[in-house]
Amino acid sequence: MSDVRVAGTGLTPFGNSPERTSRDLFAEASIAAFEDSGVPREDVEGVLYGNFMGELSEHQGHQGPLMAEAAGVQAPATRYESACASSGAAVREAVKRIRTGEDDVLLVGGAERMTNLGTAGATEALAIAADDLWEVRAGVTFPGAYALMARAYFDEFGGEHEDLAHIAVKNHENALSNEKAQYQSAIEVSDALEAPPVSEPLGLYDACPISDGASALVLTSESYAEEHDLEAPVAITGTGQGGDRMALHDREYLARSPAAREAGDEAYADAGVSAGDVDLAEVHDCFTIAEVLALEALDLEPIGEGITAARDGRTTADGETPINLSGGLKAKGHPVGATGASQIAEVTDLLAGDHPNSDHVADATTGVAHNAGGTVASATVHVLEVLE
Amino acid sequence: MSDADDTVADAGFDDWLDAAEDGAAYYLECPEDHTSLPPRRVCPDCGSTDLEELALPDTGEVRTFTVTHVPTPAFEEDAPYATAVVDFGPVSLTGQVVGIDVGDVETGLTVELEISVSETTGERVIGLRPA
Ligand SMILES: [Zn+2]
């Protein structure tokens, strides 16, 4: 079974571009990925594309073939939808297809147009990742669901809003040098603590922004990379996916993410690594508390201790295991369908030394990308390693 | 909302709300004692299709809650409102805490089911009132 090379990565700026269609966003990301890879478009055998709310934001279903066309690729295309884990799921399927030998070159990525919906419209669209009958109709929003988990975490393990504020501060700090990030501005702990409440105990600075953007990856088999002498030192060596009950209230633990643990355990085993080998990670911090739950699910922090990781400097840029050196969803932005593949792009660039924050992880060889859907009823985890 | 949304019920779910309004809320249980909520034909834990309706206990305890200030459009007039996950024993439910100031809601609070309505849309909402 061959490893899957990340031959090229491409991202649009993430941010506020309400007038831009997702086909335009994905086209830009794909152009960058093809240029980065040196792989000709005609070698692509399939397009795997993640998108969550295209029906609501653009009145557009059937986005797979539309995006292949936008990217100038004549190959079969499928859209993957798993809420915020949509393009993580697309990456995982691409990895499996290349490993079986079915395909040698795939274009993978995602896009989301969100800001054209406005805050209320985007809040409504994001909420549909929850159980419509039993959660959304009771007034549960996306921030509300994470707020329910945050309070449950505080009750079970301790911690306070100020601990979460340090995560926001860290991720904003990391985004300062990321020209693709939505926010390239430092914030203070006091800014986060004084921000207006969204869903208590979470405030405005605990939440990722509403974003437009796209991501694209050119993935190839090892043999294709060798035959074509590609400069592709980073490979996806492990993939995992987990699932959970849809509604938060149907879960045994409100402050843990078993789906992410399942995905992480599978990805680590697949790659033949353990949490101790991980040098850096991009985790799905749609809300500050989500970063805590992700670290614990990935065994990067013991259960109940992830809350202090940023505050105590373990996950900052110069800490033991830097987390979200891209700025994370919090500061880089979260164009939902683009996020999973964008995390793979960031980890690849960090490991390859092509990222503005690569200097913080100069000796890193192993990175992890963790992508979560909804309140983590779905999750994918990928392990990436430098192979040469 | 289209006319269709207004007039077509969600079988299983609206039936459950009807029952709850009559003080006869229920949950589902399979022969292996796994519990769940409708609409459901199959036990999500074991795949059993033998699901029995049993009476939901009268009161439950708040497991966690949040006060939402930025709602979806369907709850624009309701905000700020408190949403809670409540443990009724065999199952937990998510609902809006009613009949109490949102600032007084706390974990461990004992509540009973009371179907209420959204101030914004008039649609039925699972309400939870301090018992
Ligand atoms: Zn069962």
Side-chain angles (χ1 to χ4, degrees), chain A residues 137-139, chain B residues 67-83 96-98 102 116-125:
Chain A
R137 292 190 195 187
Chain B
V67 177
T68 293
H69 296 261
V70 182
T72 61
F75 291 96
E76 204 172 355
E77 307 296 322
D78 297 73
Y81 56 86
T83 309
Q96 279 190 18
V97 188
V98 298
V102 293
S116 106
V117 292
S118 159
E119 289 174 28
T120 312
T121 62
E123 296 284 330
R124 291 189 291 184
V125 174

Side-chain angles (χ1 to χ4, degrees), chain A residues 152-356:
Chain A
Y153 187 99
F154 292 161
D155 284 349
E156 188 172 357
F157 303 114
E160 57 183 356
H161 194 204
E162 191 166 345
D163 296 313
L164 298 179
H166 281 271
I167 296 168
V169 169
K170 168 181 73 70
N171 291 348
H172 272 259
E173 181 76 24
N174 288 343
L176 286 177
S177 58
N178 183 354
E179 61 180 18
K180 298 292 171 65
Q182 188 158 355
Y183 297 135
Q184 293 165 62
S185 54
I187 62 165
E188 305 280 336
V189 168
S190 57
D191 295 328
L193 293 177
E194 289 160 14
V198 174
S199 229
E200 296 175 52
L202 302 182
L204 193 59
Y205 281 83
D206 290 296
C208 65
I210 294 163
S211 319
D212 308 302
S215 58
L217 308 167
V218 176
L219 302 184
T220 75
S221 64
E222 197 152 272
S223 58
Y224 180 95
E226 281 166 11
E227 282 162 26
H228 294 79
D229 205 20
L230 299 183
E231 194 191 322
V234 178
I236 300 174
T237 57
T239 179
Q241 183 170 3
D244 205 344
R245 295 286 288 276
M246 182 80 161
L248 200 53
H249 61 229
D250 283 329
R251 303 194 196 146
E252 184 177 0
Y253 300 107
L254 297 179
R256 299 185 196 185
S257 301
R261 175 167 294 279
E262 190 183 342
D265 287 348
E266 186 183 3
Y268 289 151
D270 191 28
V273 304
S274 67
D277 298 318
V278 176
D279 298 310
L280 61 94
E282 290 288 310
V283 306
H284 196 95
D285 60 325
C286 47
F287 298 93
T288 47
I289 185 66
E291 179 166 314
V292 177
L293 301 179
L295 294 179
E296 296 180 5
L298 294 171
D299 276 336
L300 298 175
E301 286 284 327
I303 297 286
E305 294 180 26
I307 187 76
T308 59
R311 191 171 186 166
D312 293 347
R314 298 193 294 279
T315 53
T316 50
D318 295 314
E320 295 158 47
T321 311
I323 300 295
N324 286 329
L325 279 170
S326 69
L329 284 58
K330 175 69 197 81
K332 184 184 69 172
H334 181 30
V336 173
T339 288
S342 81
Q343 295 173 313
I344 303 283
E346 300 281 3
V347 172
T348 300
D349 294 350
L350 283 161
L351 291 176
D354 296 336
H355 194 281

Side-chain angles (χ1 to χ4, degrees), chain A residues 134, chain B residues 12-20 23-28 36-38 52-57 91 93 113:
Chain A
W134 291 102
Chain B
F13 181 72
D14 278 304
D15 300 327
W16 187 91
L17 291 177
D18 292 343
Y26 52 88
Y27 65 97
L28 306 176
S36 60
L37 293 164
E52 186 185 1
E53 291 180 5
L54 296 171
L56 188 77
V91 289
L93 279 175
L113 197 58

Side-chain angles (χ1 to χ4, degrees), chain B residues 30-34 43-48 51:
Chain B
C30 79
E32 290 187 44
D33 300 336
H34 302 131
C43 172
D45 290 310
C46 70
S48 170
L51 301 179

